[in-house]
Amino acid sequence: MLVAAAVCPCPPLLVPEVAAGAAPELDAARTACSDALAVLAAARPDRLVVIGPAEEAGRGTHPEGTPGSFRGFGVDLAVRLGRQGKDAASDRELPPSLAVGAWLLERADWSGAPVEGLGVGEPLAPERCAEVGREIGAQPGRVALLVMGDASACRTLKAPGYLDERAVPFDAAAARALGAADVAALKALDAELARELMAAGRAPWQVLAGAAEDAGLSGTLLYEDAPYGVGYVVAAWS
């Protein structure tokens, strides 16, 4: 049963060592993420699943203890998903989104429950995303989700995807749905439009929607902005 969820953006720039001199620009987002993780801890889950977008090599499950790093972003900083796990796959690192999630958990000194990761591919259809979520939500015990993902990357001329006039309304709809824990609205997000707008959070958000179908959770929007032309949303469900 899903008892709580935190929705956080997943740019490596969220990590101050990666952002370097630009780190203060995301201080408000970091604070909001900390507040969202506090909601997870307060729910006293038996298990925490961190879900985030991933390229093919990072898709699927990642056991507790799986390592990750930000070396690919020029910073010699290593992280680990939860505690050291005896079954952690040493030959596979966390995808960047889950590495950011692991960093957030380390920053919060997470010790509330065992942790595992799930990398989700951008092409995963909405119906399949919801099905994956239902499988997670149907598992025994009290389950919490940390859902990593960004909104569109097309909010300004300097954004990674350049300026697209469809980005603001798409992001606004996603933020409303995430802030209200509106499962139906999340399921209705257009996967093709999300792909065109480079909205990496679409699939993880729709996994959350499937997991929350019968949970009766309410939501709070903690942060919504696009400091680098990329939409970042933080929300807490409980």
Side-chain angles (χ1 to χ4, degrees):
M1 174 184 175
L2 184 69
V3 296
V7 177
C8 294
C10 61
L13 287 173
L14 205 59
V15 180
E17 291 88 340
V18 176
E25 295 180 42
L26 288 180
D27 279 348
R30 293 183 194 98
T31 298
C33 289
S34 294
D35 292 343
L37 264 64
V39 171
L40 295 186
R44 299 181 180 276
D46 299 315
R47 187 164 60 94
L48 174 65
V49 183
V50 185
I51 302 172
E55 297 297 329
E56 189 168 354
R59 294 172 192 169
T61 58
H62 298 267
E64 184 161 41
T66 300
S69 79
F70 297 96
R71 296 183 186 93
F73 302 94
V75 176
D76 188 17
L77 176 65
V79 293
R80 190 173 296 279
L81 189 63
R83 304 184 185 94
Q84 175 68 52
K86 63 181 181 179
D87 298 324
S90 60
D91 61 340
R92 194 160 85 122
E93 283 205 343
L94 297 170
S97 67
L98 298 189
V100 175
W103 177 82
L104 286 173
L105 290 171
E106 289 184 4
R107 183 170 181 258
D109 196 23
W110 178 266
S111 60
V115 184
E116 62 188 77
L118 177 65
V120 181
E122 184 276 331
L124 199 64
E127 298 79 10
R128 179 57 183 149
C129 290
E131 184 180 338
V132 170
R134 288 186 203 105
E135 293 169 359
I136 295 172
Q139 292 175 4
R142 297 170 60 83
V143 179
L145 300 182
L146 172 55
V147 183
M148 310 298 296
D150 302 337
S152 75
C154 303
R155 292 275 288 267
T156 67
L157 292 173
K158 293 184 178 181
Y162 197 63
L163 177 64
D164 191 313
E165 63 184 12
R166 301 171 297 173
V168 168
F170 177 90
D171 288 0
R176 280 195 302 270
L178 292 168
D182 189 335
V183 168
L186 284 179
K187 288 181 181 178
L189 291 175
D190 188 317
E192 179 60 24
L193 177 58
R195 185 191 65 78
E196 293 174 2
L197 296 175
M198 301 170 64
R202 189 276 308 172
W205 296 339
Q206 290 182 327
V207 173
L208 167 61
E213 280 180 347
D214 301 315
L217 302 182
S218 59
T220 303
L221 185 65
L222 300 175
Y223 177 89
E224 196 278 320
D225 202 357
Y228 302 110
V230 180
Y232 298 147
V233 179
V234 181
W237 294 18
S238 62

